[in-house]
Amino acid sequence: MTDTAKLSENTRILSGRCAECGIMVAGVIKGASGIVDVARAMVDGGAKMICSSRLEQLKRCKEAGIGVPLLMIRIPMLSEVEELIATADVSLNSEVEVLKALNAEALKQGKKHKVILMADLGDLREGFFDHGELTAAAVLVENKMDGLVLAGIGTNLGCTGSVMPTEDKMLRLAELAEEIERSIGRELDIVSGGATSSLMGVFDGYMPKKINMLRLGAGLLCGPLEDMKMTYGYDQMDALNDDVFTLRAEIIEIKDKASHPIGKLGVDAFGQKPVYVDRGIRKRALIAVGRADYGDISDIIPIDEGVEVVGASGDHTIIDIEDAKKTYRIGDIMEFRLHYSAIMRLTGSENVKHVIK
Ligand SMILES: *Cc1c(COP(=O)(O)O)cnc(C)c1O
């Protein structure tokens, strides 16, 4: 279940906080499989752009009439250039070859497509690692590519390389922006300082003035269940809702069983050898949802007191309810809060019914 009012509220809170630092929020919908209502809720809450790494998701937003610019945040595939120009208003880029193809296609479609060039500041996913090449590409777009508009530059941190958006990284991005501005003789519209993890700069008050956009996904979708709170302890996340998404699953079996498997142990359904703790006979509920739907049991958090997720296979999850405050019956619904990757999987699953509130 998706509570769009709570998502709008999260967006409003973080947009307000960012606005104090002169930063606009672009809402990233890929974590919720691009549900159009999610995009709409983010726009209602103040997101000035909607972003996705999947063109299909942006296409749905365009068709639904989401009224803000659409930003493609995965470096475009050469094979999707035509559709990208038709669908997205802006894209993140790091390859001159792709920029050339985008330019040619934009001219063909009679459009001006905006590009944000990515600088790799050490997280080692996308972006120009050689910053001389970044400036050269910026000058090329500015002077030689009439189908493109150089909207600005950006970076991504805290993803594959887990590099934190520390002050030196943000200052480096601001410095690169100024270097490019000197080379092209005008100001850039957008300097995009990263994703949810870059809220650190906002919360700790070190964001350089030059940085004026963040691309927020997880922070809006998960609130305090995001790393900014869970790992780094930022209390500023406490004001946000952690229940934008709720998993509701039905109990199909309740029995007292041993807590340690009985027999010679091999591997489980995923080829793993889990360690089982023998806690004697315990009351367990089996619910009709499994790892095929949400991924990992650590990413679902039971709401009811005294219950614990103890294991799962593809289509079943086992809940220890021995110490539960509630009395459960077959057919009852159990509810769970969700971490980011569970939200991503569940919203994308065809076997899960999606309810928008
Ligand atoms: C996924 C993604 C984001 C959003 O990241 P969150 O951690 O969910 O805020 C921003 N920028 C890029 C390039 C991304 O791929």
Side-chain angles (χ1 to χ4, degrees), residues 229-278:
K229 176 69 189 180
M230 304 292 291
T231 311
Y232 300 112
Y234 279 89
D235 293 341
Q236 288 94 332
M237 299 299 281
D238 290 344
L240 305 174
N241 301 296
D242 66 0
D243 54 353
V244 171
F245 296 90
T246 307
L247 167 65
R248 307 179 77 234
E250 190 172 331
I251 298 177
I252 54 175
E253 181 187 292
I254 298 174
K255 292 196 190 303
D256 291 329
K257 293 193 187 187
S259 46
H260 195 280
I262 298 154
K264 185 171 162 53
L265 302 189
V267 292
D268 71 6
F270 296 92
Q272 312 275 317
K273 289 188 172 184
V275 178
Y276 305 93
V277 181
D278 192 350

Side-chain angles (χ1 to χ4, degrees), residues 28 30 53 73-74 92 118 125-126 155-156 159 194-197 215-219 226 340:
V28 180
K30 69 180 185 209
S53 48
I73 55 173
R74 183 169 64 189
L92 303 185
M118 295 298 274
R125 197 177 70 183
E126 76 276 48
T155 195
N156 200 65
C159 276
T196 298
S197 58
R215 311 174 303 272
L216 304 184
E226 208 276 333
Y340 184 80

Side-chain angles (χ1 to χ4, degrees), residues 247-248 288-290 292-293 314-315 345-354:
L247 167 65
R248 307 179 77 234
V289 68
D293 304 295
D315 309 302
R345 286 165 190 266
L346 286 161
T347 50
S349 170
E350 283 178 10
N351 302 316
V352 175
K353 191 172 163 216
H354 304 288

Side-chain angles (χ1 to χ4, degrees), residues 53 55-56 72 74-82 84 98 101-102:
S53 48
L55 207 41
E56 310 86 73
M72 175 68 172
R74 183 169 64 189
I75 306 306
M77 294 185 266
L78 275 179
S79 58
E80 68 184 357
V81 162
E82 186 181 344
L84 179 100
V98 175
L102 290 174

Side-chain angles (χ1 to χ4, degrees), residues 68-225:
V68 297
L70 301 176
L71 167 58
M72 175 68 172
I73 55 173
R74 183 169 64 189
I75 306 306
M77 294 185 266
L78 275 179
S79 58
E80 68 184 357
V81 162
E82 186 181 344
E83 210 175 342
L84 179 100
I85 296 293
T87 305
D89 304 285
V90 197
S91 57
L92 303 185
N93 283 275
S94 65
E95 284 291 349
V96 170
E97 192 177 344
V98 175
L99 288 165
K100 284 180 181 163
L102 290 174
N103 180 49
E105 185 60 33
L107 290 172
K108 197 168 137 198
Q109 292 187 26
K111 288 195 167 166
K112 286 268 188 197
H113 181 77
K114 293 186 177 172
V115 294
I116 296 171
L117 303 186
M118 295 298 274
D120 191 331
L121 299 179
D123 201 55
L124 310 182
R125 197 177 70 183
E126 76 276 48
F128 287 92
F129 193 62
D130 177 330
H131 297 156
E133 284 178 10
L134 169 70
T135 305
V139 170
L140 188 72
V141 171
E142 178 76 3
N143 296 332
K144 298 274 193 293
M145 299 192 178
D146 292 339
L148 303 184
V149 177
L150 178 67
I153 65 166
T155 195
N156 200 65
L157 292 159
C159 276
T160 44
S162 65
V163 172
M164 286 164 74
T166 45
E167 187 170 13
D168 57 320
K169 298 290 178 191
M170 295 297 105
L171 286 170
R172 179 70 186 131
L173 184 67
E175 190 180 88
L176 284 172
E178 280 158 6
E179 235 169 82
I180 289 171
E181 289 177 343
R182 277 195 296 276
S183 301
I184 62 172
R186 67 169 176 90
E187 274 199 41
L188 294 170
D189 285 342
I190 296 174
V191 182
S192 188
T196 298
S197 58
S198 291
L199 283 171
M200 273 181 191
V202 173
F203 294 156
D204 289 342
Y206 61 72
M207 220 43 158
K209 267 210 188 71
K210 198 84 211 154
I211 291 172
N212 62 9
M213 184 232 251
L214 291 181
R215 311 174 303 272
L216 304 184
L220 303 177
L221 303 175
C222 306
L225 289 179

